[in-house]
Amino acid sequence: MKITLLIHCADQPGIIRSVTTFIHEQKGNVIYLDQHVDKQAGVFFMRIQSEFDAELDLNDFRKQFGEQLGKPFLMEWDIHTDEYRPKMALFVSKYNHCLYDLLSRYKSGELKVDIPFILSNHRDLEYVAEQFDIPFYHVPVTKETKMEAEETQLQLLQQHEIDFIVLARYMQIVSPKIIDVYPQKIINIHHSFLPAFVGAKPYHAAFERGVKIIGATSHYVTSELDAGPIIEQDVTAVSHIHSVHDFIAKGRDLERLVLSRAVQLHVARKTMVYNNKTVIFS
């Protein structure tokens, strides 16, 4: 069995030694370790993968880790196994480019998730769900029916035991009613550069915001519109020779790549959120 441990806590001596020693005592072998210290905040982050030859009692491992390391170091921590395929729900509206990209990666085995359903506020992309043999739910959303629609969405998400949601160009604002149930588990793609900084110290502002690069942006959804922790960004070059149609085509290519990379990072447990910023492990 292979497990991935994600840890963050106040930076202090002995964390790495204590964690690796514990894994060794549990007859595990560390195969990957990456760590980062936010010097300004004084916070330690670590992602560590381990293999176990013998059958691992995961419940006992959790209990022992919590008692021996979690409590003494005041850690925020979680354990994930490679055997588990997270369940991803796809929310879409009328644009199909991000949807096709994710479904193609899923179908080829590149994206190791299960997709119980695709949900849309329109019927335009129902044919795509049929092509990939995935259930499709049409949940119309208007100003008058938004609360009722989100109640239906929540029921579907819970019924299918969804782990995280991807907004693959879903052109509706998701309210706290859903965000609060799926904190740091809703991934959006924004077809623009985020964020835009004004004032005398834009680089200071960019550092505080956790910018990765200027370009199309994929981020976790929070109640503050388009201001959630940034997961992935990229840039594309344009010039005076390009038409508006060229801009749109280039932008859509970029959106596909940025969103798929963000989803892959999330699925691989390589993202950690702290103070509305992300630590992205290699």
Side-chain angles (χ1 to χ4, degrees):
M1 176 185 287
K2 183 189 294 184
I3 68 167
T4 300
L5 260 168
L6 296 176
I7 298 165
H8 84 262
C9 59
D11 187 32
Q12 53 202 295
I15 302 173
I16 295 176
R17 179 184 61 80
S18 298
V19 173
T20 54
T21 298
F22 175 84
I23 290 171
H24 175 71
E25 290 173 348
Q26 297 291 318
K27 298 182 171 35
N29 179 44
V30 175
I31 57 174
Y32 169 94
L33 189 155
D34 195 1
Q35 59 85 31
H36 168 69
V37 176
D38 184 328
K39 292 291 187 181
Q40 287 192 328
V43 179
F44 173 88
F45 301 87
M46 182 163 70
R47 179 178 183 270
I48 183 168
Q49 288 183 301
S50 307
E51 284 183 337
F52 295 81
D53 291 333
E55 188 64 31
L56 179 66
D57 186 332
L58 201 57
N59 290 329
D60 182 65
F61 185 95
R62 287 179 183 274
K63 180 182 177 182
Q64 296 297 328
F65 186 89
E67 291 176 353
Q68 296 182 34
L69 297 177
K71 290 179 182 178
F73 284 102
L74 299 178
M75 291 176 175
E76 295 286 337
W77 59 278
D78 204 358
I79 299 174
H80 306 277
T81 69
D82 278 18
E83 297 173 356
Y84 180 73
R85 291 171 64 94
K87 295 178 181 178
M88 176 180 79
L90 287 168
F91 282 30
V92 297
S93 288
K94 293 186 176 183
Y95 295 112
N96 64 16
H97 54 293
C98 289
L99 178 63
Y100 264 125
D101 185 82
L102 290 170
L103 291 177
S104 297
R105 295 175 193 275
Y106 160 73
K107 201 71 173 177
S108 70
E110 178 186 340
L111 185 56
K112 301 185 185 305
V113 297
D114 289 332
I115 305 178
F117 67 85
I118 297 168
L119 183 145
S120 180
N121 55 324
H122 299 284
R123 288 197 176 276
D124 298 57
L125 300 182
E126 187 171 5
Y127 73 95
V128 181
E130 292 173 353
Q131 288 176 357
F132 287 86
D133 196 26
I134 295 173
F136 179 90
Y137 293 103
H138 175 224
V139 182
V141 181
T142 65
K143 186 182 293 186
E144 293 74 26
T145 65
K146 187 173 179 64
M147 289 184 63
E148 181 184 344
E150 289 202 330
E151 186 60 41
T152 300
Q153 292 171 358
L154 271 176
Q155 290 174 5
L156 288 169
L157 292 166
Q158 293 166 353
Q159 174 188 334
H160 290 277
E161 300 179 327
I162 294 300
D163 293 299
F164 73 106
I165 305 163
V166 176
L167 309 181
R169 293 306 305 273
Y170 180 63
M171 310 305 287
Q172 290 288 326
I173 295 174
V174 179
S175 82
K177 185 172 187 176
I178 294 179
I179 295 170
D180 291 347
V181 179
Y182 291 90
Q184 299 163 20
K185 294 179 181 178
I186 306 175
I187 300 172
N188 188 34
I189 181 66
H190 193 280
H191 57 290
S192 186
F193 301 165
L194 286 178
F197 298 112
V198 296
K201 295 184 177 181
Y203 292 111
H204 293 74
F207 175 80
E208 292 301 325
R209 182 59 178 79
V211 165
K212 302 297 183 289
I213 196 170
I214 298 173
T217 306
S218 186
H219 63 91
Y220 288 116
V221 175
T222 61
S223 55
E224 187 177 354
L225 185 63
D226 294 329
I230 294 168
I231 307 169
E232 180 68 23
Q233 294 182 294
D234 207 341
V235 64
T236 187
V238 293
S239 73
H240 61 280
I241 67 171
H242 296 114
S243 67
V244 172
H245 293 295
D246 294 330
F247 274 49
I248 292 171
K250 281 176 168 285
R252 288 181 178 174
D253 282 344
L254 193 57
E255 289 163 25
R256 280 193 285 260
L257 291 172
V258 170
L259 181 59
S260 67
R261 291 203 296 255
V263 172
Q264 292 279 26
L265 288 167
H266 180 86
V267 171
R269 312 294 183 182
K270 292 186 176 183
T271 67
M272 291 186 72
V273 177
Y274 183 78
N275 282 351
N276 208 47
K277 295 198 293 187
T278 53
V279 173
I280 306 296
F281 293 106
S282 60

